[in-house]
Short mmCIF file of all heavy atoms in Angstrom, two decimals:
data_model
loop_
_atom_site.label_atom_id
_atom_site.label_comp_id
_atom_site.label_asym_id
_atom_site.label_seq_id
_atom_site.Cartn_x
_atom_site.Cartn_y
_atom_site.Cartn_z
N MET W 5 -29.70 -35.54 -24.12
CA MET W 5 -30.35 -34.31 -24.51
C MET W 5 -30.28 -33.30 -23.37
O MET W 5 -30.13 -32.12 -23.61
CB MET W 5 -31.79 -34.62 -24.91
CG MET W 5 -32.51 -33.48 -25.52
SD MET W 5 -31.77 -33.14 -27.12
CE MET W 5 -32.74 -31.81 -27.63
N LYS W 6 -30.41 -33.78 -22.15
CA LYS W 6 -30.38 -32.89 -20.99
C LYS W 6 -29.00 -32.25 -20.83
O LYS W 6 -28.90 -31.08 -20.47
CB LYS W 6 -30.74 -33.71 -19.75
CG LYS W 6 -31.01 -32.91 -18.55
CD LYS W 6 -32.49 -32.75 -18.40
CE LYS W 6 -32.79 -32.25 -17.00
NZ LYS W 6 -34.00 -31.53 -16.96
N THR W 7 -27.94 -33.00 -21.12
CA THR W 7 -26.59 -32.48 -21.00
C THR W 7 -26.34 -31.38 -22.02
O THR W 7 -25.71 -30.36 -21.71
CB THR W 7 -25.56 -33.61 -21.21
OG1 THR W 7 -25.86 -34.67 -20.32
CG2 THR W 7 -24.17 -33.12 -20.98
N LYS W 8 -26.87 -31.56 -23.23
CA LYS W 8 -26.68 -30.56 -24.27
C LYS W 8 -27.41 -29.26 -23.91
O LYS W 8 -26.88 -28.17 -24.14
CB LYS W 8 -27.18 -31.10 -25.61
CG LYS W 8 -26.84 -30.21 -26.77
CD LYS W 8 -27.20 -30.84 -28.08
CE LYS W 8 -26.82 -29.91 -29.21
NZ LYS W 8 -27.14 -30.46 -30.50
N GLU W 9 -28.57 -29.36 -23.30
CA GLU W 9 -29.31 -28.17 -22.88
C GLU W 9 -28.57 -27.43 -21.77
O GLU W 9 -28.51 -26.20 -21.76
CB GLU W 9 -30.71 -28.56 -22.42
CG GLU W 9 -31.62 -28.99 -23.54
CD GLU W 9 -32.98 -29.47 -23.03
OE1 GLU W 9 -33.20 -29.42 -21.80
OE2 GLU W 9 -33.79 -29.89 -23.85
N CYS W 10 -28.00 -28.19 -20.85
CA CYS W 10 -27.23 -27.56 -19.77
C CYS W 10 -25.99 -26.86 -20.31
O CYS W 10 -25.63 -25.76 -19.86
CB CYS W 10 -26.83 -28.61 -18.73
SG CYS W 10 -28.21 -29.18 -17.73
N MET W 11 -25.33 -27.49 -21.27
CA MET W 11 -24.14 -26.88 -21.87
C MET W 11 -24.51 -25.60 -22.61
O MET W 11 -23.81 -24.59 -22.53
CB MET W 11 -23.45 -27.86 -22.82
CG MET W 11 -22.74 -28.99 -22.10
SD MET W 11 -21.42 -28.40 -21.04
CE MET W 11 -20.22 -27.93 -22.26
N ASN W 12 -25.61 -25.62 -23.35
CA ASN W 12 -26.06 -24.43 -24.06
C ASN W 12 -26.42 -23.30 -23.09
O ASN W 12 -26.11 -22.14 -23.33
CB ASN W 12 -27.25 -24.75 -24.96
CG ASN W 12 -26.85 -25.51 -26.20
OD1 ASN W 12 -25.69 -25.49 -26.60
ND2 ASN W 12 -27.81 -26.22 -26.81
N ALA W 13 -27.09 -23.65 -22.00
CA ALA W 13 -27.44 -22.65 -21.00
C ALA W 13 -26.18 -22.05 -20.36
O ALA W 13 -26.09 -20.84 -20.13
CB ALA W 13 -28.34 -23.26 -19.94
N LEU W 14 -25.19 -22.90 -20.11
CA LEU W 14 -23.94 -22.42 -19.53
C LEU W 14 -23.18 -21.51 -20.50
O LEU W 14 -22.66 -20.46 -20.10
CB LEU W 14 -23.06 -23.62 -19.14
CG LEU W 14 -21.75 -23.29 -18.44
CD1 LEU W 14 -22.01 -22.62 -17.11
CD2 LEU W 14 -20.94 -24.56 -18.24
N ILE W 15 -23.16 -21.87 -21.76
CA ILE W 15 -22.49 -21.04 -22.77
C ILE W 15 -23.20 -19.69 -22.91
O ILE W 15 -22.55 -18.65 -22.99
CB ILE W 15 -22.43 -21.79 -24.12
CG1 ILE W 15 -21.44 -22.94 -24.03
CG2 ILE W 15 -22.05 -20.85 -25.25
CD1 ILE W 15 -21.45 -23.87 -25.22
N LEU W 16 -24.52 -19.69 -22.90
CA LEU W 16 -25.26 -18.43 -22.98
C LEU W 16 -25.02 -17.56 -21.75
O LEU W 16 -24.88 -16.34 -21.85
CB LEU W 16 -26.75 -18.71 -23.16
CG LEU W 16 -27.20 -19.17 -24.55
CD1 LEU W 16 -28.67 -19.53 -24.53
CD2 LEU W 16 -26.93 -18.08 -25.56
N LEU W 17 -24.96 -18.19 -20.60
CA LEU W 17 -24.74 -17.44 -19.36
C LEU W 17 -23.35 -16.81 -19.36
O LEU W 17 -23.18 -15.63 -19.05
CB LEU W 17 -24.90 -18.37 -18.15
CG LEU W 17 -24.68 -17.72 -16.79
CD1 LEU W 17 -25.76 -16.68 -16.53
CD2 LEU W 17 -24.66 -18.77 -15.71
N LEU W 18 -22.33 -17.57 -19.71
CA LEU W 18 -20.97 -17.04 -19.73
C LEU W 18 -20.77 -16.06 -20.87
O LEU W 18 -20.01 -15.10 -20.73
CB LEU W 18 -19.95 -18.19 -19.82
CG LEU W 18 -19.85 -19.08 -18.58
CD1 LEU W 18 -18.89 -20.22 -18.84
CD2 LEU W 18 -19.45 -18.28 -17.37
N GLY W 19 -21.42 -16.28 -21.98
CA GLY W 19 -21.29 -15.37 -23.12
C GLY W 19 -21.90 -14.02 -22.85
O GLY W 19 -21.42 -13.00 -23.31
N SER W 20 -22.97 -13.98 -22.08
CA SER W 20 -23.61 -12.71 -21.79
C SER W 20 -22.86 -11.92 -20.73
O SER W 20 -23.00 -10.71 -20.63
CB SER W 20 -25.06 -12.93 -21.35
OG SER W 20 -25.07 -13.65 -20.13
N SER W 21 -22.05 -12.57 -19.94
CA SER W 21 -21.32 -11.86 -18.89
C SER W 21 -19.88 -11.55 -19.28
O SER W 21 -19.12 -11.05 -18.47
CB SER W 21 -21.33 -12.69 -17.61
OG SER W 21 -20.64 -13.90 -17.83
N SER W 22 -19.51 -11.81 -20.50
CA SER W 22 -18.13 -11.56 -20.91
C SER W 22 -17.81 -10.07 -20.96
O SER W 22 -16.68 -9.67 -20.74
CB SER W 22 -17.84 -12.21 -22.26
OG SER W 22 -18.63 -11.60 -23.25
N SER W 23 -18.79 -9.23 -21.22
CA SER W 23 -18.52 -7.80 -21.24
C SER W 23 -18.22 -7.28 -19.83
O SER W 23 -17.49 -6.31 -19.67
CB SER W 23 -19.69 -7.04 -21.85
OG SER W 23 -20.84 -7.22 -21.05
N ALA W 24 -18.78 -7.91 -18.82
CA ALA W 24 -18.49 -7.50 -17.45
C ALA W 24 -17.05 -7.84 -17.08
O ALA W 24 -16.40 -7.12 -16.34
CB ALA W 24 -19.46 -8.16 -16.48
N PHE W 25 -16.53 -8.96 -17.58
CA PHE W 25 -15.15 -9.33 -17.30
C PHE W 25 -14.18 -8.39 -18.02
O PHE W 25 -13.08 -8.15 -17.54
CB PHE W 25 -14.88 -10.77 -17.73
CG PHE W 25 -15.60 -11.79 -16.91
CD1 PHE W 25 -16.29 -12.81 -17.52
CD2 PHE W 25 -15.62 -11.73 -15.54
CE1 PHE W 25 -16.95 -13.76 -16.78
CE2 PHE W 25 -16.29 -12.67 -14.78
CZ PHE W 25 -16.96 -13.69 -15.41
N ALA W 26 -14.57 -7.84 -19.13
CA ALA W 26 -13.69 -6.98 -19.90
C ALA W 26 -13.65 -5.56 -19.35
O ALA W 26 -12.86 -4.74 -19.80
CB ALA W 26 -14.14 -6.93 -21.36
N ALA W 27 -14.49 -5.24 -18.37
CA ALA W 27 -14.57 -3.88 -17.86
C ALA W 27 -13.53 -3.60 -16.78
O ALA W 27 -13.50 -2.51 -16.24
CB ALA W 27 -15.96 -3.61 -17.31
N GLY W 28 -12.66 -4.54 -16.45
CA GLY W 28 -11.67 -4.32 -15.41
C GLY W 28 -10.56 -3.41 -15.88
O GLY W 28 -10.38 -3.14 -17.05
N GLY W 29 -9.83 -2.89 -14.93
CA GLY W 29 -8.71 -2.02 -15.27
C GLY W 29 -8.83 -0.67 -14.61
O GLY W 29 -9.80 -0.37 -13.92
N ARG W 30 -7.84 0.15 -14.82
CA ARG W 30 -7.82 1.47 -14.20
C ARG W 30 -8.59 2.46 -15.07
O ARG W 30 -8.43 2.48 -16.27
CB ARG W 30 -6.38 1.92 -14.02
CG ARG W 30 -5.60 0.98 -13.13
CD ARG W 30 -4.28 1.55 -12.77
NE ARG W 30 -4.39 2.84 -12.12
CZ ARG W 30 -4.55 3.02 -10.81
NH1 ARG W 30 -4.65 1.98 -10.03
NH2 ARG W 30 -4.63 4.23 -10.31
N GLU W 31 -9.36 3.28 -14.44
CA GLU W 31 -10.15 4.25 -15.17
C GLU W 31 -9.57 5.66 -15.08
O GLU W 31 -10.06 6.57 -15.72
CB GLU W 31 -11.58 4.27 -14.64
CG GLU W 31 -12.32 2.97 -14.89
CD GLU W 31 -13.74 3.02 -14.40
OE1 GLU W 31 -14.18 4.11 -14.01
OE2 GLU W 31 -14.39 1.98 -14.39
N ASP W 32 -8.54 5.85 -14.28
CA ASP W 32 -8.01 7.20 -14.14
C ASP W 32 -6.92 7.52 -15.15
O ASP W 32 -6.49 8.66 -15.25
CB ASP W 32 -7.48 7.43 -12.72
CG ASP W 32 -6.39 6.45 -12.35
OD1 ASP W 32 -6.12 5.53 -13.13
OD2 ASP W 32 -5.81 6.60 -11.26
N HIS W 33 -6.46 6.55 -15.90
CA HIS W 33 -5.48 6.73 -16.96
C HIS W 33 -4.20 7.42 -16.46
O HIS W 33 -3.66 8.31 -17.11
CB HIS W 33 -6.06 7.51 -18.14
CG HIS W 33 -7.29 6.89 -18.70
ND1 HIS W 33 -7.26 5.70 -19.38
CD2 HIS W 33 -8.58 7.28 -18.66
CE1 HIS W 33 -8.49 5.39 -19.74
NE2 HIS W 33 -9.31 6.33 -19.32
N SER W 34 -3.77 7.05 -15.27
CA SER W 34 -2.56 7.66 -14.73
C SER W 34 -1.34 7.02 -15.37
O SER W 34 -1.20 5.82 -15.41
CB SER W 34 -2.52 7.50 -13.21
OG SER W 34 -2.59 6.15 -12.87
N GLY W 35 -0.48 7.85 -15.87
CA GLY W 35 0.70 7.38 -16.58
C GLY W 35 1.93 7.37 -15.69
O GLY W 35 1.86 7.46 -14.45
N LEU W 36 3.06 7.28 -16.33
CA LEU W 36 4.33 7.18 -15.63
C LEU W 36 4.64 8.46 -14.85
O LEU W 36 5.18 8.39 -13.74
CB LEU W 36 5.44 6.89 -16.64
CG LEU W 36 6.83 6.73 -16.06
CD1 LEU W 36 6.89 5.52 -15.15
CD2 LEU W 36 7.85 6.61 -17.16
N LEU W 37 4.30 9.62 -15.39
CA LEU W 37 4.60 10.87 -14.70
C LEU W 37 3.82 11.00 -13.40
O LEU W 37 4.34 11.53 -12.41
CB LEU W 37 4.31 12.06 -15.61
CG LEU W 37 5.28 12.23 -16.78
CD1 LEU W 37 4.85 13.39 -17.66
CD2 LEU W 37 6.69 12.44 -16.28
N VAL W 38 2.59 10.53 -13.38
CA VAL W 38 1.79 10.59 -12.16
C VAL W 38 2.42 9.71 -11.09
O VAL W 38 2.56 10.10 -9.93
CB VAL W 38 0.33 10.17 -12.44
CG1 VAL W 38 -0.46 10.05 -11.15
CG2 VAL W 38 -0.33 11.15 -13.38
N TRP W 39 2.84 8.51 -11.47
CA TRP W 39 3.46 7.60 -10.50
C TRP W 39 4.81 8.12 -10.05
O TRP W 39 5.20 7.95 -8.88
CB TRP W 39 3.57 6.19 -11.07
CG TRP W 39 2.22 5.53 -11.14
CD1 TRP W 39 1.50 5.29 -12.25
CD2 TRP W 39 1.44 5.06 -10.03
NE1 TRP W 39 0.30 4.70 -11.91
CE2 TRP W 39 0.25 4.55 -10.56
CE3 TRP W 39 1.63 5.06 -8.66
CZ2 TRP W 39 -0.75 4.01 -9.75
CZ3 TRP W 39 0.63 4.51 -7.86
CH2 TRP W 39 -0.54 4.00 -8.41
N ALA W 40 5.55 8.77 -10.93
CA ALA W 40 6.83 9.37 -10.54
C ALA W 40 6.60 10.51 -9.54
O ALA W 40 7.35 10.66 -8.56
CB ALA W 40 7.57 9.88 -11.77
N PHE W 41 5.57 11.32 -9.77
CA PHE W 41 5.25 12.40 -8.84
C PHE W 41 4.85 11.85 -7.48
O PHE W 41 5.28 12.36 -6.44
CB PHE W 41 4.11 13.26 -9.42
CG PHE W 41 3.63 14.32 -8.49
CD1 PHE W 41 4.40 15.44 -8.25
CD2 PHE W 41 2.40 14.19 -7.86
CE1 PHE W 41 3.96 16.43 -7.38
CE2 PHE W 41 1.96 15.16 -7.00
CZ PHE W 41 2.73 16.28 -6.76
N LEU W 42 4.02 10.81 -7.46
CA LEU W 42 3.62 10.21 -6.19
C LEU W 42 4.81 9.59 -5.46
O LEU W 42 4.91 9.66 -4.23
CB LEU W 42 2.52 9.16 -6.42
CG LEU W 42 1.18 9.73 -6.86
CD1 LEU W 42 0.21 8.59 -7.17
CD2 LEU W 42 0.61 10.64 -5.81
N GLY W 43 5.73 8.99 -6.22
CA GLY W 43 6.93 8.44 -5.61
C GLY W 43 7.81 9.53 -5.02
O GLY W 43 8.39 9.36 -3.95
N PHE W 44 7.91 10.66 -5.70
CA PHE W 44 8.68 11.79 -5.19
C PHE W 44 8.05 12.34 -3.92
O PHE W 44 8.76 12.68 -2.96
CB PHE W 44 8.77 12.88 -6.27
CG PHE W 44 9.63 14.03 -5.88
CD1 PHE W 44 11.00 13.88 -5.78
CD2 PHE W 44 9.08 15.27 -5.60
CE1 PHE W 44 11.81 14.95 -5.43
CE2 PHE W 44 9.87 16.33 -5.25
CZ PHE W 44 11.24 16.17 -5.15
N CYS W 45 6.73 12.40 -3.88
CA CYS W 45 6.04 12.85 -2.67
C CYS W 45 6.29 11.89 -1.51
O CYS W 45 6.52 12.32 -0.37
CB CYS W 45 4.54 12.97 -2.92
SG CYS W 45 4.11 14.33 -4.01
N ALA W 46 6.28 10.59 -1.79
CA ALA W 46 6.56 9.61 -0.74
C ALA W 46 8.00 9.74 -0.25
O ALA W 46 8.28 9.59 0.94
CB ALA W 46 6.31 8.20 -1.27
N LEU W 47 8.92 10.05 -1.15
CA LEU W 47 10.32 10.25 -0.77
C LEU W 47 10.46 11.46 0.16
O LEU W 47 11.22 11.41 1.14
CB LEU W 47 11.17 10.44 -2.02
CG LEU W 47 12.67 10.51 -1.83
CD1 LEU W 47 13.19 9.18 -1.34
CD2 LEU W 47 13.33 10.89 -3.13
N ILE W 48 9.73 12.50 -0.10
CA ILE W 48 9.77 13.69 0.77
C ILE W 48 9.22 13.35 2.15
O ILE W 48 9.79 13.75 3.18
CB ILE W 48 8.99 14.85 0.12
CG1 ILE W 48 9.74 15.37 -1.09
CG2 ILE W 48 8.75 15.98 1.12
CD1 ILE W 48 8.98 16.38 -1.90
N VAL W 49 8.13 12.60 2.20
CA VAL W 49 7.55 12.22 3.48
C VAL W 49 8.52 11.38 4.29
O VAL W 49 8.72 11.60 5.49
CB VAL W 49 6.20 11.48 3.27
CG1 VAL W 49 5.71 10.85 4.54
CG2 VAL W 49 5.17 12.44 2.71
N VAL W 50 9.17 10.42 3.66
CA VAL W 50 10.13 9.56 4.37
C VAL W 50 11.33 10.38 4.83
O VAL W 50 11.83 10.19 5.94
CB VAL W 50 10.55 8.38 3.46
CG1 VAL W 50 11.73 7.63 4.06
CG2 VAL W 50 9.38 7.45 3.25
N ALA W 51 11.79 11.31 4.01
CA ALA W 51 12.92 12.15 4.39
C ALA W 51 12.59 13.03 5.59
O ALA W 51 13.47 13.36 6.38
CB ALA W 51 13.36 13.00 3.20
N GLN W 52 11.35 13.43 5.74
CA GLN W 52 10.95 14.22 6.90
C GLN W 52 10.68 13.34 8.11
O GLN W 52 10.76 13.80 9.25
CB GLN W 52 9.69 15.03 6.57
CG GLN W 52 9.91 16.09 5.53
CD GLN W 52 10.82 17.19 6.04
OE1 GLN W 52 10.69 17.63 7.17
NE2 GLN W 52 11.75 17.60 5.20
N LEU W 53 10.36 12.08 7.88
CA LEU W 53 10.02 11.17 8.97
C LEU W 53 11.27 10.73 9.74
O LEU W 53 11.21 10.57 10.97
CB LEU W 53 9.29 9.95 8.40
CG LEU W 53 8.63 9.01 9.38
CD1 LEU W 53 7.51 9.74 10.11
CD2 LEU W 53 8.06 7.82 8.64
N VAL W 54 12.38 10.55 9.07
CA VAL W 54 13.61 10.07 9.73
C VAL W 54 14.09 11.06 10.79
O VAL W 54 14.32 10.66 11.94
CB VAL W 54 14.69 9.76 8.68
CG1 VAL W 54 16.03 9.49 9.34
CG2 VAL W 54 14.28 8.58 7.83
N PRO W 55 14.25 12.35 10.51
CA PRO W 55 14.66 13.27 11.58
C PRO W 55 13.64 13.38 12.70
O PRO W 55 14.00 13.55 13.87
CB PRO W 55 14.82 14.62 10.88
CG PRO W 55 14.96 14.31 9.45
CD PRO W 55 14.22 13.04 9.22
N ALA W 56 12.37 13.27 12.37
CA ALA W 56 11.33 13.35 13.40
C ALA W 56 11.46 12.18 14.37
O ALA W 56 11.31 12.35 15.59
CB ALA W 56 9.95 13.37 12.76
N VAL W 57 11.73 11.00 13.87
CA VAL W 57 11.91 9.83 14.74
C VAL W 57 13.15 10.01 15.61
O VAL W 57 13.14 9.68 16.80
CB VAL W 57 11.98 8.54 13.89
CG1 VAL W 57 12.44 7.37 14.73
CG2 VAL W 57 10.64 8.25 13.25
N LEU W 58 14.23 10.54 15.04
CA LEU W 58 15.45 10.76 15.82
C LEU W 58 15.22 11.78 16.93
O LEU W 58 15.73 11.62 18.05
CB LEU W 58 16.58 11.21 14.90
CG LEU W 58 17.09 10.14 13.92
CD1 LEU W 58 18.15 10.74 13.00
CD2 LEU W 58 17.64 8.94 14.67
N VAL W 59 14.45 12.83 16.66
CA VAL W 59 14.14 13.82 17.69
C VAL W 59 13.29 13.19 18.79
O VAL W 59 13.51 13.43 19.98
CB VAL W 59 13.43 15.04 17.06
CG1 VAL W 59 12.81 15.93 18.12
CG2 VAL W 59 14.39 15.82 16.21
N MET W 60 12.32 12.36 18.40
CA MET W 60 11.48 11.71 19.40
C MET W 60 12.30 10.77 20.29
O MET W 60 12.08 10.70 21.50
CB MET W 60 10.34 10.93 18.71
CG MET W 60 9.36 11.83 18.01
SD MET W 60 8.46 12.87 19.13
CE MET W 60 7.14 11.79 19.57
N LEU W 61 13.25 10.06 19.70
CA LEU W 61 14.12 9.20 20.51
C LEU W 61 14.99 10.03 21.45
O LEU W 61 15.24 9.64 22.59
CB LEU W 61 14.98 8.33 19.60
CG LEU W 61 14.26 7.22 18.86
CD1 LEU W 61 15.21 6.51 17.90
CD2 LEU W 61 13.65 6.23 19.82
N GLY W 62 15.46 11.17 20.98
CA GLY W 62 16.25 12.06 21.84
C GLY W 62 15.43 12.60 23.00
O GLY W 62 15.92 12.70 24.13
N ILE W 63 14.18 12.95 22.74
CA ILE W 63 13.31 13.43 23.80
C ILE W 63 13.05 12.33 24.81
O ILE W 63 13.09 12.55 26.03
CB ILE W 63 11.99 13.97 23.21
CG1 ILE W 63 12.24 15.27 22.44
CG2 ILE W 63 10.94 14.20 24.29
CD1 ILE W 63 11.05 15.77 21.67
N ALA W 64 12.82 11.11 24.33
CA ALA W 64 12.57 9.99 25.24
C ALA W 64 13.81 9.68 26.07
O ALA W 64 13.71 9.37 27.26
CB ALA W 64 12.15 8.76 24.44
N LYS W 65 14.97 9.80 25.46
CA LYS W 65 16.21 9.56 26.21
C LYS W 65 16.43 10.66 27.24
O LYS W 65 16.92 10.41 28.34
CB LYS W 65 17.39 9.50 25.25
CG LYS W 65 18.67 9.03 25.90
CD LYS W 65 19.83 9.02 24.92
CE LYS W 65 19.66 7.89 23.94
NZ LYS W 65 20.85 7.73 23.06
N GLY W 66 16.08 11.90 26.91
CA GLY W 66 16.23 13.01 27.84
C GLY W 66 15.28 12.95 29.00
O GLY W 66 15.56 13.47 30.07
N MET W 67 14.13 12.33 28.82
CA MET W 67 13.14 12.23 29.89
C MET W 67 13.39 11.04 30.81
O MET W 67 12.72 10.90 31.82
CB MET W 67 11.73 12.14 29.30
CG MET W 67 11.30 13.43 28.62
SD MET W 67 9.64 13.35 27.98
CE MET W 67 8.70 13.29 29.48
N ALA W 68 14.34 10.20 30.48
CA ALA W 68 14.65 9.04 31.34
C ALA W 68 15.23 9.54 32.65
O ALA W 68 15.90 10.58 32.70
CB ALA W 68 15.64 8.13 30.62
N PRO W 69 14.98 8.82 33.73
CA PRO W 69 15.54 9.24 35.02
C PRO W 69 17.07 9.26 34.99
O PRO W 69 17.69 8.45 34.31
CB PRO W 69 15.03 8.20 36.01
CG PRO W 69 14.05 7.36 35.28
CD PRO W 69 14.17 7.64 33.84
N GLN W 70 17.66 10.17 35.73
CA GLN W 70 19.11 10.32 35.73
C GLN W 70 19.80 9.09 36.30
O GLN W 70 20.89 8.74 35.90
CB GLN W 70 19.52 11.56 36.54
CG GLN W 70 19.10 12.87 35.91
CD GLN W 70 19.90 13.17 34.66
OE1 GLN W 70 20.09 12.33 33.79
NE2 GLN W 70 20.38 14.39 34.58
N GLY W 71 19.21 8.43 37.25
CA GLY W 71 19.81 7.24 37.86
C GLY W 71 19.98 6.12 36.85
O GLY W 71 20.97 5.38 36.86
N ALA W 72 19.04 5.99 35.94
CA ALA W 72 19.13 4.94 34.92
C ALA W 72 20.25 5.25 33.93
O ALA W 72 20.96 4.35 33.48
CB ALA W 72 17.81 4.81 34.19
N GLN W 73 20.47 6.53 33.64
CA GLN W 73 21.55 6.91 32.71
C GLN W 73 22.92 6.70 33.36
O GLN W 73 23.86 6.26 32.72
CB GLN W 73 21.39 8.35 32.27
CG GLN W 73 20.23 8.57 31.31
CD GLN W 73 20.11 10.03 30.92
OE1 GLN W 73 20.77 10.90 31.50
NE2 GLN W 73 19.27 10.29 29.93
N GLN W 74 23.05 7.03 34.64
CA GLN W 74 24.34 6.89 35.31
C GLN W 74 24.71 5.43 35.49
O GLN W 74 25.87 5.05 35.31
CB GLN W 74 24.31 7.58 36.68
CG GLN W 74 24.32 9.08 36.56
CD GLN W 74 24.21 9.75 37.92
OE1 GLN W 74 24.03 9.08 38.92
NE2 GLN W 74 24.31 11.07 37.93
N SER W 75 23.74 4.57 35.84
CA SER W 75 24.06 3.15 36.03
C SER W 75 24.40 2.51 34.70
O SER W 75 25.21 1.59 34.65
CB SER W 75 22.90 2.43 36.70
OG SER W 75 21.77 2.43 35.85
N ALA W 76 23.82 2.98 33.62
CA ALA W 76 24.13 2.43 32.31
C ALA W 76 25.53 2.86 31.86
O ALA W 76 26.23 2.11 31.18
CB ALA W 76 23.09 2.86 31.29
N SER W 77 25.97 4.06 32.24
CA SER W 77 27.29 4.53 31.82
C SER W 77 28.41 3.89 32.63
O SER W 77 29.53 3.82 32.18
CB SER W 77 27.36 6.06 31.93
OG SER W 77 27.22 6.44 33.29
N HIS W 78 28.14 3.39 33.85
CA HIS W 78 29.17 2.76 34.67
C HIS W 78 29.43 1.31 34.29
O HIS W 78 30.39 0.72 34.73
CB HIS W 78 28.80 2.84 36.16
CG HIS W 78 28.89 4.23 36.71
ND1 HIS W 78 30.09 4.89 36.83
CD2 HIS W 78 27.94 5.09 37.14
CE1 HIS W 78 29.87 6.09 37.32
NE2 HIS W 78 28.57 6.24 37.54
N ARG W 79 28.60 0.72 33.48
CA ARG W 79 28.76 -0.68 33.13
C ARG W 79 29.78 -0.88 32.09
O ARG W 79 30.25 -0.38 31.29
CB ARG W 79 27.45 -1.28 32.66
CG ARG W 79 26.49 -1.43 33.78
CD ARG W 79 25.22 -2.07 33.29
NE ARG W 79 24.25 -2.11 34.39
CZ ARG W 79 23.07 -2.57 34.29
NH1 ARG W 79 22.63 -3.07 33.17
NH2 ARG W 79 22.26 -2.59 35.31
#
């Protein structure tokens, strides 16, 4: 009898919380066009990031001491 009461209590507990499990998901209703726009924005950011990194590497190479550049070119 005790097992049946525990099972009933468990079923009632899980049954009452089933609406909370069904509430998951996205609430902003963003469709394919929104994700395509965000992807395009990310593509623009990456396209601007590549030249910026190349300029930074050029600046770092230009600031290196001249002795280090000459010894590297003689090897």
Side-chain angles (χ1 to χ4, degrees):
M5 189 68 180
K6 192 99 165 153
T7 306
K8 188 174 181 180
E9 289 176 2
C10 288
M11 288 298 288
N12 285 340
L14 183 63
I15 289 171
L16 285 174
L17 179 66
L18 291 176
S20 64
S21 63
S22 64
S23 62
F25 293 132
R30 300 190 57 88
E31 295 182 8
D32 59 354
H33 304 291
S34 57
L36 181 64
L37 289 177
V38 173
W39 287 108
F41 175 73
L42 291 175
F44 185 70
C45 290
L47 186 67
I48 290 173
V49 169
V50 169
Q52 294 293 318
L53 191 64
V54 170
V57 169
L58 292 176
V59 167
M60 294 295 274
L61 289 175
I63 290 172
K65 190 181 287 187
M67 292 182 69
Q70 292 289 48
Q73 288 179 351
Q74 287 177 354
S75 65
S77 64
H78 289 293
R79 290 182 184 179

